[in-house]
Amino acid sequence: MKLALGPLLYYWPRQSVLDFYADIADSPIDSVYLGETVCSRRHELRLEDWLEVGKVLAAAGKEVVMSSQGLVESESDLKTLRRIVRQCADGEPGFRVEANDMGAVRLLGEAGVRDWVAGPTLNIFNPTTLQMMIDAGATRWAVAPEISGAALAEVRAALAAPIETEVFAYGRLPLAHSARCFTARHFNLQKDTCEFRCLAINDGITLRTREGEPFLTLNGVQTQSARVHNLLGDLAGVQGKAELLRISPQGSHTRAIVELFRAVLAGARTPTAALDDCRPLMVEAPCNGFWHGRAGVEQYVAA
Amino acid sequence: MHRIELVCPAGSLPALKTAVDHGADCVYLGFKDATNARNFSGLNFDPAQVREGIAYAHARGRKVLLALNTYPQASNWPSWTAAIDRAAEYGVDAVILADPGLMAYAAQNHPQLRLHLSVQGSATSYEAINFYRERFGIQRAVLPRVLSMAQVEQVIANTPVEIEVFGFGGLCVMVEGRCALSAYATGESPNCNGACSPGKHVRWEDTPRGMETRLNGILIDRFADGERAGYPTLCKGRFDVNDETYYALEEPTSLNTLELLPELARIGIRAIKIEGRQRSPAYVAQVTRVWRAALDRLQAAPDAFQVTPAWMAELNKVSEGQSHTLGAYYRPWK
């Protein structure tokens, strides 16, 4: 199994981002997804900067994928999307694209691109829809986190030919997108004049119930789980159902977490021991319910 | 200017007749199962009711749209395709779909069946909408409640697909079809189970601290004496963020775009949708009556259109939390 680093979902200062990917360049990761997928107002790195980061990672032997934005609203969002498709179609620099809405799928088709990643927000829940994406040129399926291991196995079993499959294996779960910015709202600001208050909130802002229980995370227009979805302890059951594991960047310890996954895959560490090693590196308690077909918030241990 | 169709909710046969009697151009409904996004007990239509509803509407020159707008999975796929077959057999005027696989099935097996793209399809740009048009020949798309007026106008200018928008009712603060909050808290989602914050996971508890509402054990809100305790829809609860307790995502409120009608007409909206298949026939009557009057007034004298205080008062009576918002059409809302 290969390891993929998902797109950075938070808004970190430019130098932090550059330092982060410099560190990733010699980490044991196979694929790196780049680009701004959450909010088009974020600008510490422009698309051109992301492509430059991609070139450094590609030179270090990583597969680089440019992720498209999940929620496309404006003509300027479409302009960025077309540019992402064009860099792939023109081979300049020719990074593979992760399509995160059907507009991206249409533009990739129009450009004749036949080797793209069907992203987790495409709402692919059944073999008929997945086959349609494969026919349109998808060569990897990044599964929506809410789909269970059993359900994705059923989808794969029904396909005419297999497709490389990637599951969300580590990180706070991206659960929803909105036109509203909840970080700006927290600071009594409007999105248009948000003062970029999400900058340097490295893991988002934790939302708690009135009993103090961490429940969700505010990350601008995105809402995430407070808990950290972590499949380290479930890797035995993931084998055979997926070829890639996605690790979502975290404010700190991402590299150590990647190395723990690598150690389990190499047989150097047991899943249970690795999960225990991982606990001090996590920003919140673990959960894995989605993988087991249960409420995502649950930490499920098979009896 | 196109005539704007008024599309009203029917959670039951009485609600359907009420909507038709009060001036709906179209009613939309669902079967009694997980194939639609309002899969609530006691709601929706069995086969005999669908036939009777269609006969009632068609006899009065109105249309019936069937919502099949959840996402089938490998294990339950045949139930959804069977629902498409039944919809075609009963003679509905269109099916409202979200899943591309299901659209392909409908286009292949029932080429005469008119297809609408559901709001659950999360298509927010003309590029996405045109994808569905080229692939399946959809004739209408319902926009998620996230775009500003200028963005809706841009969509309309760049697609031949008719555009329908939400005019009134419960407000999803998240992009529809892209929200796994309910799945995270309860294991059941609008996408796969047709329900958000489903009733079987809800608990109301009268405690010394006040009335507490829980969803699968998670505290969604707590109400002081004299506060009206609302249903624990999880994005409309009060939570603590950095030691401040407030409606961190959205207040319990309804969308109401009545005052935007002239602008929506000018940019070329083809239909206005009223949310609320889970609401009573009385709600349907009240909301349909007001919107029918408003649309007729607009049609008769587009330049002189004005919202009357009586209309707003009627609508506020049935709004969630007795308040309303323009949602994403109003920039500060974002």
Side-chain angles (χ1 to χ4, degrees), chain A residues 36-39 67-73 77-78 81 98-106 117-125 133 142-146 173-179 182 216 221-225 290, chain B residues 37 69-71 98-100 117-129 131-132 142-147 172-184 188-192 195-196 234-235 249:
Chain A
E36 177 57 52
T37 59
V38 175
C39 178
S67 293
S68 76
Q69 204 166 300
L71 169 59
V72 175
E73 294 172 293
D77 293 347
L78 283 174
L81 180 56
E98 177 183 66
N100 280 318
D101 88 318
M102 288 302 176
V105 174
R106 180 176 188 274
V117 180
T121 50
L122 282 188
N123 277 345
I124 298 169
F125 285 99
M133 294 298 120
V143 183
E146 68 170 302
L173 291 156
L175 295 174
H177 281 91
S178 176
F182 303 106
L216 301 171
V221 297
Q222 183 181 63
T223 304
Q224 304 179 336
S225 63
F290 277 152
Chain B
N69 55 350
T70 47
Y71 290 87
D99 182 53
L117 175 63
S118 169
V119 70
Q120 295 294 122
S122 325
T124 52
S125 74
Y126 58 84
E127 294 287 1
I129 290 166
F131 168 85
Y132 293 95
V142 187
L143 292 184
R145 284 161 273 197
V146 295
L147 300 182
C172 275
V173 66
M174 304 302 176
V175 186
E176 293 90 338
R178 292 276 186 80
C179 181
L181 289 176
S182 179
Y184 179 69
E188 293 187 47
S189 68
N191 276 353
C192 296
C196 168
L234 66 79
C235 61
L249 302 173

Side-chain angles (χ1 to χ4, degrees), chain B residues 241-255:
Chain B
V241 183
N242 290 336
D243 299 321
E244 191 188 331
T245 304
Y246 66 111
Y247 292 106
L249 302 173
E250 176 61 308
E251 288 90 11
T253 184
S254 287
L255 177 74

Side-chain angles (χ1 to χ4, degrees), chain A residues 197-259:
Chain A
R197 294 292 282 270
C198 63
L199 183 63
I201 303 179
N202 282 353
D203 293 294
I205 307 174
T206 302
L207 172 154
R208 296 166 191 276
T209 70
R210 295 171 75 176
E211 293 173 315
E213 190 64 34
F215 179 34
L216 301 171
T217 298
L218 307 181
N219 176 37
V221 297
Q222 183 181 63
T223 304
Q224 304 179 336
S225 63
R227 287 190 169 208
V228 178
H229 181 77
N230 189 340
L231 296 187
L232 255 180
D234 298 279
L235 286 183
V238 180
Q239 301 266 4
K241 294 194 177 79
E243 288 73 38
L244 282 102
L245 302 172
R246 175 174 297 202
I247 294 165
S248 192
Q250 187 176 279
S252 46
H253 309 307
T254 303
R255 184 181 179 130
I257 293 157
V258 168
E259 284 162 356

Side-chain angles (χ1 to χ4, degrees), chain B residues 32-226:
Chain B
K32 276 186 184 298
D33 56 31
T35 59
N36 73 92
R38 290 289 183 279
N39 177 25
F40 301 155
S41 65
L43 212 65
N44 296 322
F45 288 67
D46 66 26
Q49 291 166 335
V50 177
R51 287 183 189 280
E52 190 181 338
I54 292 173
Y56 190 87
H58 284 181
R60 290 156 184 81
R62 320 300 170 80
K63 295 177 194 159
V64 174
L65 317 178
L66 184 80
L68 291 168
N69 55 350
T70 47
Y71 290 87
Q73 304 195 17
S75 53
N76 54 29
W77 174 259
S79 311
W80 268 255
T81 52
I84 296 266
D85 296 340
R86 273 186 285 152
E89 179 199 330
Y90 298 155
V92 301
D93 297 283
V95 285
I96 308 168
L97 304 179
D99 182 53
L102 214 53
M103 285 182 212
Y105 176 87
Q108 273 158 25
N109 294 280
H110 306 285
Q112 80 295 347
L113 189 58
R114 184 179 155 99
L115 305 183
H116 290 189
L117 175 63
S118 169
V119 70
Q120 295 294 122
S122 325
T124 52
S125 74
Y126 58 84
E127 294 287 1
I129 290 166
N130 288 338
F131 168 85
Y132 293 95
R133 183 183 69 89
E134 288 159 7
R135 293 262 165 172
F136 319 111
I138 63 158
Q139 297 187 52
R140 181 179 292 180
V142 187
L143 292 184
R145 284 161 273 197
V146 295
L147 300 182
S148 68
M149 189 68 77
Q151 288 166 346
V152 176
E153 186 169 15
Q154 183 73 6
V155 168
I156 292 172
N158 288 282
T159 181
V161 174
E162 297 174 5
I163 297 300
E164 176 173 319
V165 296
F166 278 88
F168 186 83
L171 177 73
C172 275
V173 66
M174 304 302 176
V175 186
E176 293 90 338
R178 292 276 186 80
C179 181
L181 289 176
S182 179
Y184 179 69
T186 73
E188 293 187 47
S189 68
N191 276 353
C192 296
N193 309 92
C196 168
S197 311
K200 69 175 172 196
H201 293 284
V202 170
R203 267 197 352 252
W204 304 78
E205 289 173 334
D206 211 351
T207 76
R209 296 172 300 276
M211 174 64 83
E212 294 185 343
T213 54
R214 290 177 189 273
L215 192 62
N216 197 21
I218 298 164
L219 184 65
I220 301 298
D221 211 343
R222 178 187 290 152
F223 300 89
D225 287 345

